[in-house]
Amino acid sequence: MKTQASRAEALWEESQRLFPGGVNSPVRAFRAVGGRPLVLASGRGATVTDADGTSYLDFIGSWGALILGHAAPDVVAAVSAAAGRGMSFGMPTDAEPQLAHLIRSAFPSMERMRFVSSGTEAAMSAIRLARGVTGRARVVKFAGCYHGHSDGLLARAGSGVTTLGLPGSAGVTNAAAAETTVLPYNDLGAVRTVFAAHGETVAAVIVEPVAANMGVVRPSPEFLEGLREVTERHESLLIFDEVITGFRVAFGGTQGRTGIRPDLTCLGKIAGGGLPLAVYGGRADVMDALAPLGPVYQAGTLSGNPVAVAAGTATLRHLSSGGVYALLEERGAALEAGLVELARRAGVVCAVAREASMLTVFFTQRPPRNLVEAEGSDTERFGRFFRAMLTRGILIPPSQFEAWFISAAHEPADIARTVEAAGEAFREAA
Ligand SMILES: *Cc1c(COP(=O)(O)O)cnc(C)c1O
């Protein structure tokens, strides 16, 4: 019998001649874990299949966007129907208000909103708006929080920047970086110190209310409450970047869970149901400073794209119809418990940090509270663990500093299979 040449291998070779590093977004290159990246051809439910026809149980889920799994039938139907009615108009459409109402029902703090095409755009625009409204320049962010790749927000940004061990990025001017103050996550004392000295210069504090781009790092309850209190007192804006947590940790995101009302919120990923759509919104008086009403400019040819809006609407409708979050919590808890137990049996030092249906396995004694503690994880061991999982047909994010995402398409048998594979992988990686 003749062995067939690997189509995935050939495509990867070709991609490296066409795209820097062979990819269109850095973490996909598997640099942190070694080996050849997957080249995927299709996905259905919790499974993805590569160009050679090999299938994997997927815990990336397009970095959390696909909370209903790949090619969810109701979302696919909505997208097909919308595409048939026209791909883009660059004009208001009859579809936009529907999605906005769904979003506002989940996030009452988003009195007005604007649709954009990526989380990067949402966070960048929210910052510009905060600066425009307050007349102040400084932005406070937290090390390990990722808010997209706009210049001023790349400092100590987590996600790919941390995966690749970069302090930030070449090409970002000192001037842009100087207006960003980076503090340790969960360190309210540091926030208070900055505000005591420079409060009148701070336009906004931007935070992932549950951090998921340095791996999952949960906030202490006092942290988010303290941020609300201190920003209010100094008339700075509080921006919750819920691009990951929105519609993930609960339908109403972290703000729904905690009852803390930010001034502005960024959404993305799930909000677009797997198509390029993101949102920023918040207080009406702040949002009304945007052009054409106010002096802060922001625009987009494909903003509110009807096909993306259809994907988002179908996804949010499904999520609002009940039952999904209880199921996701159950799956998350089962996966966490199984991983903890099998790591213990393998004698591996490991902490599983979980919030709802997202989690990270850290090779640390305790779940990290900030980026420095997250970076204490044994990333060499993570690389071995990742490869051992992949060999067993389980695809987890190819970086220590990302979250695994469970979807509604993951069945109890998938969780059991994953735990079993992890038991072997822990031993192999030890
Ligand atoms: C993914 C992400 C972004 C950036 O979104 P893109 O669509 O990749 O530009 C911003 N903030 C957070 C919290 C994210 O997880």
Side-chain angles (χ1 to χ4, degrees):
M1 212 163 57
K2 226 169 73 175
T3 53
Q4 245 192 329
S6 163
R7 184 164 168 258
E9 183 68 49
L11 284 164
W12 175 238
E13 290 303 321
E14 193 181 346
S15 292
Q16 285 172 285
R17 290 190 295 273
L18 292 166
F19 309 112
V23 293
N24 285 299
S25 196
V27 179
R28 300 177 193 175
F30 278 29
R31 287 291 166 96
V33 292
R36 174 174 65 72
L38 299 187
V39 179
L40 297 179
S42 66
R44 181 158 221 83
T47 302
V48 291
T49 302
D50 79 359
D52 291 328
T54 307
S55 291
Y56 300 86
L57 187 58
D58 178 32
F59 286 95
I60 299 175
S62 192
W63 305 97
L66 297 179
I67 195 167
L68 301 176
H70 294 274
D74 46 350
V75 181
V76 172
V79 165
S80 311
R85 289 192 297 269
M87 304 291 276
S88 182
F89 302 104
M91 283 280 134
T93 69
D94 59 358
E96 291 167 28
Q98 242 174 355
L99 178 57
H101 279 303
L102 272 166
I103 290 170
R104 214 167 51 173
S105 74
F107 292 82
S109 74
M110 298 174 78
E111 296 166 351
R112 301 236 209 292
M113 68 191 78
R114 181 161 278 175
F115 294 160
V116 291
S117 300
S118 72
T120 293
E121 238 186 302
M124 177 184 83
S125 307
I127 295 290
R128 182 184 303 145
L129 177 60
R131 285 177 167 145
V133 164
T134 60
R136 302 169 177 183
R138 191 188 299 268
V139 168
V140 172
K141 81 175 283 289
F142 298 95
C145 284
Y146 181 65
H147 305 294
H149 62 84
S150 68
D151 284 3
L153 292 173
L154 265 185
R156 302 278 281 151
S159 197
V161 176
T162 299
T163 301
L164 301 175
L166 307 172
S169 171
V172 174
T173 62
N174 289 337
E179 289 174 335
T180 309
T181 300
V182 186
L183 301 177
Y185 198 76
N186 270 325
D187 190 343
L188 198 52
V191 177
R192 291 222 164 94
T193 303
V194 165
F195 269 90
H198 310 288
E200 75 293 344
T201 68
V202 179
V205 172
I206 186 166
V207 65
E208 284 184 70
V210 177
N213 284 292
M214 48 179 145
V216 173
V217 173
R218 306 175 73 195
S220 68
E222 314 80 70
F223 180 56
L224 297 179
E225 276 163 27
L227 294 183
R228 180 64 287 184
E229 183 270 322
V230 78
T231 47
E232 204 155 272
R233 190 146 42 81
H234 291 269
E235 293 174 3
S236 302
L237 300 186
L238 177 61
I239 305 173
F240 272 10
D241 182 347
E242 301 225 44
V243 168
I244 280 190
T245 54
F247 308 108
R248 166 62 60 180
V249 301
F251 193 59
T254 315
Q255 55 195 273
R257 275 193 152 186
T258 60
I260 297 168
R261 192 179 174 103
D263 301 295
L264 292 174
T265 298
C266 303
L267 300 171
K269 299 197 168 95
I270 293 171
L275 288 190
L277 184 145
V279 191
Y280 68 106
R283 273 168 46 191
D285 62 316
V286 173
M287 290 301 289
D288 285 352
L290 282 175
L293 290 182
V296 180
Y297 194 74
Q298 184 272 316
T301 302
L302 294 177
S303 293
N305 173 269
V307 185
V309 166
T313 303
T315 300
L316 299 195
R317 275 221 184 103
H318 190 131
L319 290 172
S320 68
S321 66
V324 180
Y325 290 97
L327 178 143
L328 286 168
E329 173 62 30
E330 213 172 280
R331 303 277 188 276
L335 182 55
E336 176 187 359
L339 290 169
V340 166
E341 172 60 19
L342 290 204
R344 192 191 60 77
R345 276 195 229 159
V348 169
V349 171
C350 145
V352 179
R354 179 177 73 91
E355 181 85 16
S357 55
M358 57 186 200
L359 63 77
T360 300
V361 174
F362 286 104
F363 295 104
T364 53
Q365 294 278 359
R366 288 181 300 129
R369 288 165 299 187
N370 54 45
L371 180 61
V372 170
E373 290 185 10
E375 286 175 337
S377 187
D378 184 342
T379 53
E380 294 294 322
R381 175 171 289 180
F382 177 84
R384 294 193 295 276
F385 179 74
F386 170 88
R387 292 190 296 275
M389 291 294 274
L390 196 65
T391 303
R392 289 163 178 81
I394 315 280
L395 176 63
I396 63 172
S399 163
Q400 173 67 82
F401 306 106
E402 304 284 358
W404 309 18
F405 294 102
I406 300 165
S407 78
H410 285 92
E411 299 288 341
D414 296 325
I415 302 296
R417 196 183 130 204
T418 304
V419 169
E420 193 187 313
E424 295 168 14
F426 280 132
R427 260 175 272 135
E428 210 167 293

